[in-house]
Amino acid sequence: MDMESALSTRFAALADPTRRAILARLAEGEATVSELRKPFPISQPAISKHLRVLEQAGLIETGQDRQTRPRRLKAGALRDAAAWLGRIDALWSGRLDRLDEFLTRQTEE
């Protein structure tokens, strides 16, 4: 999957508040499906679907324990998305700084 497709898939996965909450929980450490389901008023199959979306987006992975199949954040999974957002932020921050300087000069004149 090319970088553009990977970013689109990751941002689509991050668009859902339940998936973001799952990622926030996994930031604290790995967890089983039943542990991840506890705070949500949705079924186990619905949680499993969210987990599949997150795994397909490359944001999480399944642990080695075949009994419990714990999920965990994938190392560096958000790095590409954060780098992309950082570039956009820098671009707009620079533009807004230049606009602020221009408006300040206009006010002073």
Side-chain angles (χ1 to χ4, degrees), residues 34-64:
S34 60
E35 290 170 333
L36 292 169
R37 181 177 175 253
K38 284 181 185 175
F40 302 105
I42 59 178
S43 67
Q44 187 275 330
I47 287 292
S48 292
K49 183 178 178 182
H50 284 297
L51 292 173
R52 271 192 306 280
V53 170
L54 291 169
E55 195 155 5
Q56 289 170 350
L59 296 169
I60 66 170
E61 58 190 3
T62 303
Q64 299 296 324

PDB file of all heavy atoms in Angstrom, residues 34-64:
ATOM      1  N   SER A  34     -12.505  -8.814  25.162  1.00  0.00           N
ATOM      2  CA  SER A  34     -13.486  -8.621  26.241  1.00  0.00           C
ATOM      3  C   SER A  34     -13.117  -7.429  27.119  1.00  0.00           C
ATOM      4  O   SER A  34     -13.996  -6.704  27.582  1.00  0.00           O
ATOM      5  CB  SER A  34     -13.650  -9.893  27.073  1.00  0.00           C
ATOM      6  OG  SER A  34     -12.434 -10.264  27.665  1.00  0.00           O
ATOM      7  N   GLU A  35     -11.836  -7.197  27.343  1.00  0.00           N
ATOM      8  CA  GLU A  35     -11.423  -6.025  28.118  1.00  0.00           C
ATOM      9  C   GLU A  35     -11.717  -4.737  27.358  1.00  0.00           C
ATOM     10  O   GLU A  35     -12.135  -3.742  27.953  1.00  0.00           O
ATOM     11  CB  GLU A  35      -9.926  -6.101  28.445  1.00  0.00           C
ATOM     12  CG  GLU A  35      -9.566  -7.179  29.437  1.00  0.00           C
ATOM     13  CD  GLU A  35      -8.072  -7.393  29.562  1.00  0.00           C
ATOM     14  OE1 GLU A  35      -7.316  -7.132  28.597  1.00  0.00           O
ATOM     15  OE2 GLU A  35      -7.646  -7.846  30.640  1.00  0.00           O
ATOM     16  N   LEU A  36     -11.524  -4.767  26.068  1.00  0.00           N
ATOM     17  CA  LEU A  36     -11.784  -3.580  25.249  1.00  0.00           C
ATOM     18  C   LEU A  36     -13.284  -3.292  25.132  1.00  0.00           C
ATOM     19  O   LEU A  36     -13.686  -2.142  24.987  1.00  0.00           O
ATOM     20  CB  LEU A  36     -11.176  -3.754  23.852  1.00  0.00           C
ATOM     21  CG  LEU A  36      -9.645  -3.770  23.814  1.00  0.00           C
ATOM     22  CD1 LEU A  36      -9.160  -4.202  22.444  1.00  0.00           C
ATOM     23  CD2 LEU A  36      -9.080  -2.406  24.185  1.00  0.00           C
ATOM     24  N   ARG A  37     -14.091  -4.319  25.208  1.00  0.00           N
ATOM     25  CA  ARG A  37     -15.541  -4.159  25.068  1.00  0.00           C
ATOM     26  C   ARG A  37     -16.189  -3.537  26.302  1.00  0.00           C
ATOM     27  O   ARG A  37     -17.226  -2.852  26.198  1.00  0.00           O
ATOM     28  CB  ARG A  37     -16.169  -5.524  24.793  1.00  0.00           C
ATOM     29  CG  ARG A  37     -17.658  -5.431  24.625  1.00  0.00           C
ATOM     30  CD  ARG A  37     -18.258  -6.783  24.284  1.00  0.00           C
ATOM     31  NE  ARG A  37     -19.701  -6.645  24.259  1.00  0.00           N
ATOM     32  CZ  ARG A  37     -20.499  -7.126  25.202  1.00  0.00           C
ATOM     33  NH1 ARG A  37     -20.019  -7.795  26.216  1.00  0.00           N
ATOM     34  NH2 ARG A  37     -21.795  -6.940  25.115  1.00  0.00           N
ATOM     35  N   LYS A  38     -15.612  -3.742  27.470  1.00  0.00           N
ATOM     36  CA  LYS A  38     -16.248  -3.342  28.737  1.00  0.00           C
ATOM     37  C   LYS A  38     -16.829  -1.925  28.757  1.00  0.00           C
ATOM     38  O   LYS A  38     -17.968  -1.748  29.171  1.00  0.00           O
ATOM     39  CB  LYS A  38     -15.278  -3.527  29.909  1.00  0.00           C
ATOM     40  CG  LYS A  38     -15.110  -4.956  30.314  1.00  0.00           C
ATOM     41  CD  LYS A  38     -14.159  -5.083  31.479  1.00  0.00           C
ATOM     42  CE  LYS A  38     -13.910  -6.558  31.783  1.00  0.00           C
ATOM     43  NZ  LYS A  38     -12.915  -6.724  32.828  1.00  0.00           N
ATOM     44  N   PRO A  39     -16.105  -0.902  28.341  1.00  0.00           N
ATOM     45  CA  PRO A  39     -16.674   0.452  28.482  1.00  0.00           C
ATOM     46  C   PRO A  39     -17.716   0.834  27.428  1.00  0.00           C
ATOM     47  O   PRO A  39     -18.284   1.916  27.495  1.00  0.00           O
ATOM     48  CB  PRO A  39     -15.451   1.363  28.374  1.00  0.00           C
ATOM     49  CG  PRO A  39     -14.431   0.581  27.641  1.00  0.00           C
ATOM     50  CD  PRO A  39     -14.712  -0.863  27.920  1.00  0.00           C
ATOM     51  N   PHE A  40     -17.967  -0.043  26.468  1.00  0.00           N
ATOM     52  CA  PHE A  40     -18.857   0.313  25.362  1.00  0.00           C
ATOM     53  C   PHE A  40     -20.174  -0.452  25.419  1.00  0.00           C
ATOM     54  O   PHE A  40     -20.186  -1.646  25.690  1.00  0.00           O
ATOM     55  CB  PHE A  40     -18.176   0.028  24.014  1.00  0.00           C
ATOM     56  CG  PHE A  40     -16.884   0.755  23.841  1.00  0.00           C
ATOM     57  CD1 PHE A  40     -15.682   0.076  23.959  1.00  0.00           C
ATOM     58  CD2 PHE A  40     -16.859   2.111  23.575  1.00  0.00           C
ATOM     59  CE1 PHE A  40     -14.476   0.732  23.806  1.00  0.00           C
ATOM     60  CE2 PHE A  40     -15.657   2.778  23.426  1.00  0.00           C
ATOM     61  CZ  PHE A  40     -14.466   2.095  23.540  1.00  0.00           C
ATOM     62  N   PRO A  41     -21.273   0.218  25.100  1.00  0.00           N
ATOM     63  CA  PRO A  41     -22.584  -0.449  25.087  1.00  0.00           C
ATOM     64  C   PRO A  41     -22.853  -1.121  23.735  1.00  0.00           C
ATOM     65  O   PRO A  41     -23.929  -0.971  23.158  1.00  0.00           O
ATOM     66  CB  PRO A  41     -23.555   0.699  25.347  1.00  0.00           C
ATOM     67  CG  PRO A  41     -22.898   1.862  24.677  1.00  0.00           C
ATOM     68  CD  PRO A  41     -21.411   1.658  24.893  1.00  0.00           C
ATOM     69  N   ILE A  42     -21.849  -1.808  23.197  1.00  0.00           N
ATOM     70  CA  ILE A  42     -22.010  -2.483  21.905  1.00  0.00           C
ATOM     71  C   ILE A  42     -21.590  -3.941  22.035  1.00  0.00           C
ATOM     72  O   ILE A  42     -20.932  -4.331  22.993  1.00  0.00           O
ATOM     73  CB  ILE A  42     -21.216  -1.770  20.783  1.00  0.00           C
ATOM     74  CG1 ILE A  42     -19.727  -1.709  21.097  1.00  0.00           C
ATOM     75  CG2 ILE A  42     -21.764  -0.381  20.545  1.00  0.00           C
ATOM     76  CD1 ILE A  42     -18.894  -1.061  20.007  1.00  0.00           C
ATOM     77  N   SER A  43     -21.973  -4.723  21.060  1.00  0.00           N
ATOM     78  CA  SER A  43     -21.736  -6.168  21.108  1.00  0.00           C
ATOM     79  C   SER A  43     -20.269  -6.519  20.853  1.00  0.00           C
ATOM     80  O   SER A  43     -19.508  -5.711  20.312  1.00  0.00           O
ATOM     81  CB  SER A  43     -22.606  -6.855  20.063  1.00  0.00           C
ATOM     82  OG  SER A  43     -22.176  -6.482  18.762  1.00  0.00           O
ATOM     83  N   GLN A  44     -19.937  -7.746  21.199  1.00  0.00           N
ATOM     84  CA  GLN A  44     -18.587  -8.244  20.939  1.00  0.00           C
ATOM     85  C   GLN A  44     -18.295  -8.276  19.434  1.00  0.00           C
ATOM     86  O   GLN A  44     -17.208  -7.870  19.017  1.00  0.00           O
ATOM     87  CB  GLN A  44     -18.402  -9.619  21.598  1.00  0.00           C
ATOM     88  CG  GLN A  44     -16.984 -10.162  21.529  1.00  0.00           C
ATOM     89  CD  GLN A  44     -16.697 -10.891  20.232  1.00  0.00           C
ATOM     90  OE1 GLN A  44     -17.580 -11.479  19.627  1.00  0.00           O
ATOM     91  NE2 GLN A  44     -15.466 -10.804  19.789  1.00  0.00           N
ATOM     92  N   PRO A  45     -19.250  -8.699  18.580  1.00  0.00           N
ATOM     93  CA  PRO A  45     -18.970  -8.645  17.141  1.00  0.00           C
ATOM     94  C   PRO A  45     -18.701  -7.220  16.633  1.00  0.00           C
ATOM     95  O   PRO A  45     -17.873  -7.024  15.740  1.00  0.00           O
ATOM     96  CB  PRO A  45     -20.232  -9.234  16.501  1.00  0.00           C
ATOM     97  CG  PRO A  45     -20.784 -10.137  17.549  1.00  0.00           C
ATOM     98  CD  PRO A  45     -20.493  -9.433  18.852  1.00  0.00           C
ATOM     99  N   ALA A  46     -19.377  -6.235  17.206  1.00  0.00           N
ATOM    100  CA  ALA A  46     -19.144  -4.841  16.797  1.00  0.00           C
ATOM    101  C   ALA A  46     -17.734  -4.400  17.192  1.00  0.00           C
ATOM    102  O   ALA A  46     -17.045  -3.739  16.404  1.00  0.00           O
ATOM    103  CB  ALA A  46     -20.184  -3.919  17.411  1.00  0.00           C
ATOM    104  N   ILE A  47     -17.303  -4.762  18.399  1.00  0.00           N
ATOM    105  CA  ILE A  47     -15.928  -4.440  18.826  1.00  0.00           C
ATOM    106  C   ILE A  47     -14.932  -5.146  17.910  1.00  0.00           C
ATOM    107  O   ILE A  47     -13.935  -4.546  17.482  1.00  0.00           O
ATOM    108  CB  ILE A  47     -15.694  -4.834  20.301  1.00  0.00           C
ATOM    109  CG1 ILE A  47     -16.410  -3.872  21.245  1.00  0.00           C
ATOM    110  CG2 ILE A  47     -14.202  -4.890  20.644  1.00  0.00           C
ATOM    111  CD1 ILE A  47     -15.846  -2.460  21.274  1.00  0.00           C
ATOM    112  N   SER A  48     -15.200  -6.397  17.586  1.00  0.00           N
ATOM    113  CA  SER A  48     -14.309  -7.147  16.697  1.00  0.00           C
ATOM    114  C   SER A  48     -14.203  -6.479  15.327  1.00  0.00           C
ATOM    115  O   SER A  48     -13.122  -6.438  14.733  1.00  0.00           O
ATOM    116  CB  SER A  48     -14.794  -8.585  16.547  1.00  0.00           C
ATOM    117  OG  SER A  48     -14.640  -9.277  17.767  1.00  0.00           O
ATOM    118  N   LYS A  49     -15.313  -5.936  14.849  1.00  0.00           N
ATOM    119  CA  LYS A  49     -15.287  -5.228  13.561  1.00  0.00           C
ATOM    120  C   LYS A  49     -14.398  -3.985  13.654  1.00  0.00           C
ATOM    121  O   LYS A  49     -13.593  -3.716  12.762  1.00  0.00           O
ATOM    122  CB  LYS A  49     -16.699  -4.845  13.132  1.00  0.00           C
ATOM    123  CG  LYS A  49     -16.745  -4.171  11.778  1.00  0.00           C
ATOM    124  CD  LYS A  49     -18.151  -3.842  11.348  1.00  0.00           C
ATOM    125  CE  LYS A  49     -18.114  -3.129  10.008  1.00  0.00           C
ATOM    126  NZ  LYS A  49     -19.452  -2.747   9.572  1.00  0.00           N
ATOM    127  N   HIS A  50     -14.540  -3.229  14.741  1.00  0.00           N
ATOM    128  CA  HIS A  50     -13.679  -2.054  14.941  1.00  0.00           C
ATOM    129  C   HIS A  50     -12.211  -2.473  14.999  1.00  0.00           C
ATOM    130  O   HIS A  50     -11.346  -1.795  14.426  1.00  0.00           O
ATOM    131  CB  HIS A  50     -14.063  -1.324  16.232  1.00  0.00           C
ATOM    132  CG  HIS A  50     -15.316  -0.514  16.130  1.00  0.00           C
ATOM    133  ND1 HIS A  50     -15.447   0.563  15.282  1.00  0.00           N
ATOM    134  CD2 HIS A  50     -16.499  -0.624  16.779  1.00  0.00           C
ATOM    135  CE1 HIS A  50     -16.655   1.083  15.413  1.00  0.00           C
ATOM    136  NE2 HIS A  50     -17.308   0.384  16.313  1.00  0.00           N
ATOM    137  N   LEU A  51     -11.933  -3.567  15.671  1.00  0.00           N
ATOM    138  CA  LEU A  51     -10.553  -4.046  15.771  1.00  0.00           C
ATOM    139  C   LEU A  51     -10.006  -4.456  14.405  1.00  0.00           C
ATOM    140  O   LEU A  51      -8.840  -4.183  14.094  1.00  0.00           O
ATOM    141  CB  LEU A  51     -10.460  -5.204  16.755  1.00  0.00           C
ATOM    142  CG  LEU A  51     -10.721  -4.836  18.221  1.00  0.00           C
ATOM    143  CD1 LEU A  51     -10.782  -6.087  19.086  1.00  0.00           C
ATOM    144  CD2 LEU A  51      -9.682  -3.861  18.739  1.00  0.00           C
ATOM    145  N   ARG A  52     -10.840  -5.071  13.565  1.00  0.00           N
ATOM    146  CA  ARG A  52     -10.403  -5.433  12.213  1.00  0.00           C
ATOM    147  C   ARG A  52     -10.050  -4.187  11.406  1.00  0.00           C
ATOM    148  O   ARG A  52      -9.040  -4.164  10.686  1.00  0.00           O
ATOM    149  CB  ARG A  52     -11.486  -6.234  11.491  1.00  0.00           C
ATOM    150  CG  ARG A  52     -11.393  -7.712  11.720  1.00  0.00           C
ATOM    151  CD  ARG A  52     -12.273  -8.509  10.769  1.00  0.00           C
ATOM    152  NE  ARG A  52     -13.675  -8.110  10.758  1.00  0.00           N
ATOM    153  CZ  ARG A  52     -14.576  -8.479  11.663  1.00  0.00           C
ATOM    154  NH1 ARG A  52     -14.230  -9.254  12.672  1.00  0.00           N
ATOM    155  NH2 ARG A  52     -15.820  -8.072  11.569  1.00  0.00           N
ATOM    156  N   VAL A  53     -10.877  -3.143  11.524  1.00  0.00           N
ATOM    157  CA  VAL A  53     -10.605  -1.890  10.807  1.00  0.00           C
ATOM    158  C   VAL A  53      -9.271  -1.306  11.272  1.00  0.00           C
ATOM    159  O   VAL A  53      -8.442  -0.887  10.452  1.00  0.00           O
ATOM    160  CB  VAL A  53     -11.755  -0.876  11.004  1.00  0.00           C
ATOM    161  CG1 VAL A  53     -11.375   0.503  10.483  1.00  0.00           C
ATOM    162  CG2 VAL A  53     -13.023  -1.370  10.328  1.00  0.00           C
ATOM    163  N   LEU A  54      -9.056  -1.296  12.581  1.00  0.00           N
ATOM    164  CA  LEU A  54      -7.804  -0.752  13.122  1.00  0.00           C
ATOM    165  C   LEU A  54      -6.607  -1.588  12.686  1.00  0.00           C
ATOM    166  O   LEU A  54      -5.538  -1.049  12.372  1.00  0.00           O
ATOM    167  CB  LEU A  54      -7.872  -0.677  14.653  1.00  0.00           C
ATOM    168  CG  LEU A  54      -8.840   0.364  15.212  1.00  0.00           C
ATOM    169  CD1 LEU A  54      -9.035   0.161  16.707  1.00  0.00           C
ATOM    170  CD2 LEU A  54      -8.348   1.772  14.909  1.00  0.00           C
ATOM    171  N   GLU A  55      -6.775  -2.895  12.642  1.00  0.00           N
ATOM    172  CA  GLU A  55      -5.671  -3.766  12.219  1.00  0.00           C
ATOM    173  C   GLU A  55      -5.389  -3.597  10.728  1.00  0.00           C
ATOM    174  O   GLU A  55      -4.230  -3.514  10.321  1.00  0.00           O
ATOM    175  CB  GLU A  55      -5.993  -5.220  12.555  1.00  0.00           C
ATOM    176  CG  GLU A  55      -4.780  -6.106  12.480  1.00  0.00           C
ATOM    177  CD  GLU A  55      -4.885  -7.350  13.338  1.00  0.00           C
ATOM    178  OE1 GLU A  55      -5.941  -7.598  13.949  1.00  0.00           O
ATOM    179  OE2 GLU A  55      -3.887  -8.079  13.391  1.00  0.00           O
ATOM    180  N   GLN A  56      -6.426  -3.509   9.915  1.00  0.00           N
ATOM    181  CA  GLN A  56      -6.235  -3.306   8.470  1.00  0.00           C
ATOM    182  C   GLN A  56      -5.578  -1.962   8.178  1.00  0.00           C
ATOM    183  O   GLN A  56      -4.860  -1.828   7.191  1.00  0.00           O
ATOM    184  CB  GLN A  56      -7.567  -3.426   7.739  1.00  0.00           C
ATOM    185  CG  GLN A  56      -8.083  -4.843   7.696  1.00  0.00           C
ATOM    186  CD  GLN A  56      -9.524  -4.943   7.190  1.00  0.00           C
ATOM    187  OE1 GLN A  56     -10.227  -3.947   7.040  1.00  0.00           O
ATOM    188  NE2 GLN A  56      -9.956  -6.168   6.938  1.00  0.00           N
ATOM    189  N   ALA A  57      -5.819  -0.983   9.048  1.00  0.00           N
ATOM    190  CA  ALA A  57      -5.198   0.335   8.891  1.00  0.00           C
ATOM    191  C   ALA A  57      -3.752   0.341   9.399  1.00  0.00           C
ATOM    192  O   ALA A  57      -3.060   1.342   9.265  1.00  0.00           O
ATOM    193  CB  ALA A  57      -6.016   1.388   9.637  1.00  0.00           C
ATOM    194  N   GLY A  58      -3.326  -0.774   9.985  1.00  0.00           N
ATOM    195  CA  GLY A  58      -1.955  -0.860  10.478  1.00  0.00           C
ATOM    196  C   GLY A  58      -1.736  -0.168  11.810  1.00  0.00           C
ATOM    197  O   GLY A  58      -0.607   0.145  12.167  1.00  0.00           O
ATOM    198  N   LEU A  59      -2.826   0.088  12.536  1.00  0.00           N
ATOM    199  CA  LEU A  59      -2.706   0.807  13.808  1.00  0.00           C
ATOM    200  C   LEU A  59      -2.538  -0.111  15.008  1.00  0.00           C
ATOM    201  O   LEU A  59      -1.995   0.303  16.028  1.00  0.00           O
ATOM    202  CB  LEU A  59      -3.936   1.705  14.006  1.00  0.00           C
ATOM    203  CG  LEU A  59      -4.083   2.822  12.971  1.00  0.00           C
ATOM    204  CD1 LEU A  59      -5.439   3.474  13.082  1.00  0.00           C
ATOM    205  CD2 LEU A  59      -2.966   3.834  13.124  1.00  0.00           C
ATOM    206  N   ILE A  60      -3.034  -1.343  14.908  1.00  0.00           N
ATOM    207  CA  ILE A  60      -2.894  -2.291  16.009  1.00  0.00           C
ATOM    208  C   ILE A  60      -2.447  -3.636  15.454  1.00  0.00           C
ATOM    209  O   ILE A  60      -2.497  -3.874  14.236  1.00  0.00           O
ATOM    210  CB  ILE A  60      -4.197  -2.476  16.821  1.00  0.00           C
ATOM    211  CG1 ILE A  60      -5.293  -3.136  15.975  1.00  0.00           C
ATOM    212  CG2 ILE A  60      -4.664  -1.151  17.403  1.00  0.00           C
ATOM    213  CD1 ILE A  60      -6.509  -3.570  16.784  1.00  0.00           C
ATOM    214  N   GLU A  61      -2.029  -4.511  16.358  1.00  0.00           N
ATOM    215  CA  GLU A  61      -1.678  -5.874  15.982  1.00  0.00           C
ATOM    216  C   GLU A  61      -2.139  -6.820  17.074  1.00  0.00           C
ATOM    217  O   GLU A  61      -2.409  -6.405  18.205  1.00  0.00           O
ATOM    218  CB  GLU A  61      -0.174  -6.003  15.742  1.00  0.00           C
ATOM    219  CG  GLU A  61       0.697  -5.610  16.921  1.00  0.00           C
ATOM    220  CD  GLU A  61       2.169  -5.519  16.563  1.00  0.00           C
ATOM    221  OE1 GLU A  61       2.530  -5.697  15.385  1.00  0.00           O
ATOM    222  OE2 GLU A  61       2.962  -5.267  17.478  1.00  0.00           O
ATOM    223  N   THR A  62      -2.243  -8.093  16.709  1.00  0.00           N
ATOM    224  CA  THR A  62      -2.675  -9.116  17.649  1.00  0.00           C
ATOM    225  C   THR A  62      -1.456  -9.777  18.267  1.00  0.00           C
ATOM    226  O   THR A  62      -0.502 -10.109  17.560  1.00  0.00           O
ATOM    227  CB  THR A  62      -3.539 -10.175  16.927  1.00  0.00           C
ATOM    228  OG1 THR A  62      -4.646  -9.510  16.320  1.00  0.00           O
ATOM    229  CG2 THR A  62      -4.055 -11.217  17.896  1.00  0.00           C
ATOM    230  N   GLY A  63      -1.509  -9.967  19.576  1.00  0.00           N
ATOM    231  CA  GLY A  63      -0.402 -10.584  20.292  1.00  0.00           C
ATOM    232  C   GLY A  63      -0.258 -12.066  19.999  1.00  0.00           C
ATOM    233  O   GLY A  63      -1.067 -12.666  19.294  1.00  0.00           O
ATOM    234  N   GLN A  64       0.756 -12.689  20.566  1.00  0.00           N
ATOM    235  CA  GLN A  64       1.096 -14.081  20.299  1.00  0.00           C
ATOM    236  C   GLN A  64       0.258 -15.081  21.085  1.00  0.00           C
ATOM    237  O   GLN A  64       0.152 -16.232  20.698  1.00  0.00           O
ATOM    238  CB  GLN A  64       2.578 -14.309  20.615  1.00  0.00           C
ATOM    239  CG  GLN A  64       3.516 -13.462  19.778  1.00  0.00           C
ATOM    240  CD  GLN A  64       3.430 -13.793  18.294  1.00  0.00           C
ATOM    241  OE1 GLN A  64       3.259 -14.941  17.921  1.00  0.00           O
ATOM    242  NE2 GLN A  64       3.507 -12.777  17.455  1.00  0.00           N
TER     243      GLN A  64
END
